[in-house]
Amino acid sequence: MPIDLRLDPAEVALFTDLYELTVGAAFFEHGFNDIASFEVAMRRMPPGRGFMIAAGIERLIEALEEYRFDAGAIEHLESLQLFKPAFLEFLSQLRFTGSIRALPEGTIYFPGEPILEIRAPLIEAQLIETLALNQIGFASVVASKAARCFAVAGGRRLVDFGPRRAQGADASLIAARSSYMAGFHGTANVLAGKRYTIPVFGTMSHSFVMAHESERDAFSDFVASFPTLSTLLVDTYDTPRGVENAAAIAARVREAGMKIQGVRLDSGNLDELSRKARRILDQAGFGDIAIVASGNLDEYRIAELVDAGAPIDAFGVGTALAVSDDAPSADFVYKLVDYKDRGRLKTSAGKISTPGRKQLFRGYAPNGSFFADMIGIIDECTTTVAREFKPTPSITVQLMETVFENGRRIMPRPTLAEARERVMNGLRTLDARYKALRKPAEFPVRQTAALGALVISEKLRAQKRQD
């Protein structure tokens, strides 16, 4: 049996809540399978967040390219003794034949905005709800956490140190991919490096030092084995003494034409210890040896260290990133917004949805920053929508694009580097008040007049459906 690091393509279709299948079976039995549009959006911002990063969309698309119920899946569903033979036969022939419109990965977005639209026969679209939310939700949450770290790091290197703390192997792969997209320089996760062509980084372990009779011998042996990967872990015992030992080894290997890359601080008062380390290294003539810090770091701690002027060149971020510890989830929803070319909405208290197929418009100021978003109807004209922004933007762009049509990808497969550049551009053009770590300003998002009118009319129609 293969190790379960990622879903086997043959099992993707079974990655669903049971009710998706029972609803699909009822739709099938009663003849409901016209074209429907479902939308992924986020109802409200997670605590402390001023923006989110779209991620996980490409992984979802890859899964849908191979979507099928194979013989093993059908046999399992048959064993549940819930589904009639005709529906199981229907599933055995089912492939994803629909279209996908989405924000490009790496796009900054805000609550209430459409992230992705699935348009397909009703049963197809219904069955993939769980898969869509699972792939987009966690990836976006971690990408947003990573982007917050990047925004406060002031250009210092950031590395994902989280695979050992992630909640499952696939979660660690998602975290590595999402964090690299959001500005991290690489990951400690070797499999993620292979799968996504992400740079991999590593230092040494405390056990390597502890297994030796002397710290200097441990450092000397490690440099001898890895002369180009020589970041020495100096906090196994007394950290300042460890830095002194690292400097002594650096002096020894310099005579052989080798260079120690850095020292890593993994515990204690990182501000104070980094200053001591920098002083020791500089006095020994090693101003080019970098100081790497790790150990319970997150964006808040990184910001404190940067603001304090701690001479730290790189940060390794582990648990806080891998699980997005202060905001591990967000209120993502997958809602039917259109069926038989008519808008549909839910009017539940506190969970109202917005009907109709949509487009997201973003207004840019003359200085290149974006200052407001408008959610409109899919076929609204950019020029018309631009007039509804206050003030009128110098440029108005449509953000959602069609990437899949009739069950096939119609745009080139985007690279992770392209998504990363999109994040970088977004962070550069997003005003600082929306990137604040605490109490960020609320970014202005409004509906166009046309969408507002559709909401009113569909609310009345929904009331009639209940009569």
Side-chain angles (χ1 to χ4, degrees):
M1 179 177 292
I3 298 172
D4 187 20
L5 294 180
R6 186 165 64 170
L7 287 173
D8 185 301
E11 294 183 323
V12 166
L14 291 181
F15 185 67
T16 186
D17 288 285
L18 179 61
Y19 83 86
E20 310 292 358
L21 286 161
T22 56
V23 166
F27 279 150
F28 177 79
E29 186 170 350
H30 297 285
F32 285 75
N33 203 24
D34 290 289
I35 298 298
S37 296
F38 283 77
E39 178 182 284
V40 175
M42 186 181 67
R43 284 198 184 105
R44 57 188 65 86
M45 198 68 85
R49 300 296 189 260
F51 66 92
M52 296 290 286
I53 303 291
I57 295 166
E58 184 59 27
R59 279 176 52 108
L60 172 63
I61 291 172
E62 288 175 356
L64 293 178
E65 286 179 303
E66 302 294 330
Y67 190 85
R68 67 187 185 278
F69 289 83
D70 69 357
I74 297 299
E75 182 180 354
H76 176 69
L77 293 178
E78 188 175 27
S79 74
L80 300 180
Q81 299 183 346
L82 293 171
F83 303 106
K84 297 176 181 177
F87 180 62
L88 294 177
E89 174 61 25
F90 168 80
L91 291 182
S92 72
Q93 304 299 317
L94 187 143
R95 300 292 185 271
F96 181 74
T97 63
S99 65
I100 301 173
R101 297 170 54 248
L103 299 179
E105 282 202 311
T107 300
I108 290 175
Y109 68 90
F110 305 95
E113 298 184 340
I115 303 167
L116 175 139
E117 177 200 78
I118 298 288
R119 184 166 175 82
L122 179 61
I123 297 173
E124 286 180 34
Q126 182 70 72
L127 289 175
I128 64 174
E129 174 178 355
T130 301
L131 179 65
L133 290 175
N134 176 272
Q135 291 300 301
I136 292 172
F138 180 64
S140 294
V141 164
V142 175
S144 304
K145 179 78 169 179
R148 285 160 60 84
C149 293
F150 178 82
V152 300
R156 293 160 181 81
R157 298 189 303 277
L158 295 163
V159 179
D160 158 38
F161 276 8
R164 67 183 62 191
R165 306 297 186 198
Q167 294 172 339
D170 193 47
S172 72
L173 295 171
I174 292 171
R177 183 181 187 276
S178 291
S179 60
Y180 183 73
M181 179 194 303
F184 273 51
H185 286 71
T187 179
N189 190 329
V190 177
L191 179 57
K194 174 181 179 292
R195 186 167 290 177
Y196 301 120
T197 320
I198 300 171
V200 292
F201 296 91
T203 56
M204 62 188 300
S205 67
H206 291 104
S207 62
F208 188 82
V209 177
M210 295 162 66
H212 284 74
E213 292 304 317
S214 89
E215 189 174 54
R216 285 198 186 189
D217 287 345
F219 291 168
S220 180
D221 284 354
F222 193 80
V223 174
S225 295
F226 294 98
T228 62
L229 193 68
S230 52
T231 295
L232 304 178
L233 187 59
V234 295
D235 77 323
T236 303
Y237 306 118
D238 176 73
T239 299
R241 181 62 177 152
V243 178
E244 292 172 357
N245 284 332
I249 297 301
R252 184 188 306 169
V253 301
R254 182 166 56 184
E255 297 174 0
M258 294 189 294
K259 176 182 179 297
I260 287 180
Q261 304 299 316
V263 296
R264 176 179 157 208
L265 314 175
D266 193 48
S267 58
N269 185 324
L270 295 177
D271 183 10
E272 177 184 335
L273 290 172
S274 66
R275 295 177 192 277
K276 289 182 178 180
R278 185 76 274 157
R279 185 164 56 250
I280 292 167
L281 293 170
D282 288 350
Q283 289 174 352
F286 296 106
D288 58 343
I289 291 182
I291 296 176
V292 180
S294 59
N296 299 317
L297 293 178
D298 60 13
E299 66 268 46
Y300 303 102
R301 187 68 184 122
I302 292 171
E304 290 173 359
L305 291 166
V306 170
D307 291 345
I312 296 172
D313 302 290
F315 297 99
V317 189
T319 304
L321 172 71
V323 302
S324 186
D325 60 349
D326 65 325
S329 64
D331 195 6
F332 290 96
V333 294
Y334 183 93
K335 295 301 177 187
L336 177 67
V337 295
D338 180 277
Y339 184 55
K340 295 184 177 180
D341 291 322
R342 293 303 303 260
R344 305 288 166 140
L345 84 165
K346 177 181 176 182
T347 60
S348 305
K351 294 186 176 181
I352 189 169
S353 62
T354 308
R357 304 184 65 200
K358 304 176 190 70
Q359 179 57 267
L360 181 60
F361 300 87
R362 179 156 289 171
Y364 285 82
N367 66 2
S369 65
F370 61 96
F371 65 90
D373 286 353
M374 297 279 285
I375 308 170
I377 295 174
I378 184 172
D379 56 2
E380 285 196 79
C381 172
T382 301
T383 303
T384 303
V385 171
R387 300 191 189 105
E388 297 189 43
F389 280 96
K390 303 297 180 188
T392 302
S394 61
I395 300 175
T396 302
V397 299
Q398 298 182 3
L399 295 183
M400 296 188 76
E401 56 188 25
T402 303
V403 295
F404 219 78
E405 206 161 49
N406 298 321
R408 296 180 179 274
R409 187 189 291 269
I410 63 169
M411 292 184 65
R413 190 182 301 273
T415 67
L416 188 54
E418 290 170 341
R420 178 185 173 90
E421 183 59 29
R422 190 171 291 111
V423 176
M424 300 300 99
N425 288 335
L427 291 176
R428 279 194 294 269
T429 54
L430 179 65
D431 192 274
R433 57 189 161 151
Y434 306 117
K435 295 182 285 189
L437 294 186
R438 293 180 173 84
K439 297 183 179 179
E442 182 178 346
F443 188 83
V445 179
R446 293 171 43 277
Q447 295 178 356
T448 63
L451 180 57
L454 178 64
V455 171
I456 293 172
S457 67
E458 292 303 331
K459 279 184 178 178
L460 294 174
R461 192 179 299 276
Q463 292 172 0
K464 292 180 181 179
R465 289 195 189 101
Q466 203 164 21
D467 292 337

